[in-house]
Amino acid sequence: MPKKSFSEPDDLNCRGGLNELWEKDRQKPLLYNKKIICPVCGTEFNAKAIKKSSYRIVKKDSDFFIRYSIINPYFYDVWVCDNCGYAAIKNDFPNLSDRDADIIKEKISSRWHPKNYPEVYDVDLALQRYKLSLLNYHVIGAKASKKAINFLKIAWMYRLKEDSENETKSLIQALDNFSTAYYNEPSPICGMEKFTTMYLIGELMRRTGKGEDSLIWFSQILTSITAPAKIKDMARDQKDLVKDSAEDRPLSSDEQYNNILKDNKSHSLFAKFRK
């Protein structure tokens, strides 16, 4: 059996295993306000930030989703200007052209209604904020890589909510945008070098039912002489999972029919030699 680099999602019941993520009184002392200037309207606002020593990693999933205890950094990964409605993943928040700022003013700020955000965020609020960020990216025609990471983090929030249907839908969108980014944007993509991006594309294919396609991406990594050893190990593990699941999968009616035809042809061939 290959050694697994990651835990599978079923290894941990998110709510049952990480109840501390819902203990808001315990989380309040771990947060502080960070002063941010909105690049759209110029308003100064407070963005919630987590003290670096506060969160604890519990598990890592094979698509790079990290499971935390006590407090979850993903919940605070989107900054929102409550004055104008501009929202983006925090690392990308200041990176806005004047043209994009004008588009946001026209298409988002003109319809924006200020909201009262609580002191401590939960998965549902985080999901709302990720969707608002994604709306901003769509409005300004952001690069595929920006939409890709946003869709991926939305999928992770649905995973925490144990909503597999919406998780899969979001993973499909993430896959589509990462694939577009891979072919049209220079590396690094979302901070990932080429082979890490290739691995993630393969893994998202595996998770969305495209096992045969994922094998192509994992194999390209394994046959490369320049791919890092760690990425090769990850690709090998996931390739083995695809093969194991294919072996365990019951044959479809078409596959059964084709096998019968092959058996009949074999029997006919042997019958000629016996005559």
Side-chain angles (χ1 to χ4, degrees), residues 190-201:
C190 301
M192 298 182 293
E193 49 78 36
K194 174 184 175 181
F195 292 105
T196 303
T197 304
M198 291 173 64
Y199 165 82
L200 181 57
I201 290 172

Side-chain angles (χ1 to χ4, degrees), residues 71-95:
I71 194 166
N72 195 325
Y74 292 127
F75 293 177
Y76 302 89
D77 204 26
V78 172
W79 287 348
V80 178
C81 175
D82 197 37
N83 182 63
C84 69
Y86 170 55
I89 292 176
K90 62 184 182 182
N91 291 339
D92 192 44
F93 191 87
N95 305 323

Side-chain angles (χ1 to χ4, degrees), residues 18-29:
L18 299 179
N19 285 330
E20 290 172 333
L21 287 178
W22 280 263
E23 294 178 3
K24 295 185 177 181
D25 288 341
R26 187 175 180 184
Q27 295 174 33
K28 287 180 182 179

Side-chain angles (χ1 to χ4, degrees), residues 64-226:
F64 304 136
F65 174 51
I66 301 174
R67 299 176 184 268
Y68 295 94
S69 65
I70 305 177
I71 194 166
N72 195 325
Y74 292 127
F75 293 177
Y76 302 89
D77 204 26
V78 172
W79 287 348
V80 178
C81 175
D82 197 37
N83 182 63
C84 69
Y86 170 55
I89 292 176
K90 62 184 182 182
N91 291 339
D92 192 44
F93 191 87
N95 305 323
L96 199 69
S97 68
D98 292 340
R99 169 192 168 275
D100 290 343
D102 289 339
I103 293 173
I104 288 170
K105 288 176 184 177
E106 177 187 351
K107 297 189 175 181
I108 292 181
S109 302
S110 61
R111 304 177 185 179
W112 176 252
H113 299 288
K115 305 179 186 302
N116 292 318
Y117 290 111
E119 188 173 353
V120 176
Y121 300 168
D122 60 17
V123 66
D124 292 311
L125 180 55
L127 192 51
Q128 290 178 23
R129 292 167 73 91
Y130 277 118
K131 289 181 178 180
L132 180 59
S133 171
L134 185 62
L135 175 62
N136 275 262
Y137 286 145
H138 276 299
V139 162
I140 64 176
K143 294 190 297 185
S145 57
K146 294 183 179 182
K147 291 182 280 188
I149 194 66
N150 208 135
F151 272 120
L152 183 59
K153 291 187 176 184
I154 287 174
W156 292 344
M157 296 303 97
Y158 280 122
R159 189 176 302 170
L160 282 176
K161 289 169 65 65
E162 300 178 358
D163 184 343
S164 58
E165 180 179 354
N166 281 312
E167 177 192 339
T168 300
K169 289 179 181 178
S170 300
L171 288 176
I172 290 171
Q173 293 288 342
L175 170 59
D176 182 59
N177 280 279
F178 271 120
S179 298
T180 299
Y182 177 80
Y183 289 114
N184 295 283
E185 298 179 27
S187 292
I189 293 172
C190 301
M192 298 182 293
E193 49 78 36
K194 174 184 175 181
F195 292 105
T196 303
T197 304
M198 291 173 64
Y199 165 82
L200 181 57
I201 290 172
E203 176 59 11
L204 293 180
M205 286 180 171
R206 185 189 74 83
R207 285 175 173 265
T208 54
K210 298 180 179 179
E212 290 299 319
D213 292 333
S214 74
L215 291 176
I216 297 173
W217 289 83
F218 293 144
S219 295
Q220 287 179 348
I221 295 170
L222 292 172
T223 56
S224 171
I225 61 174
T226 57

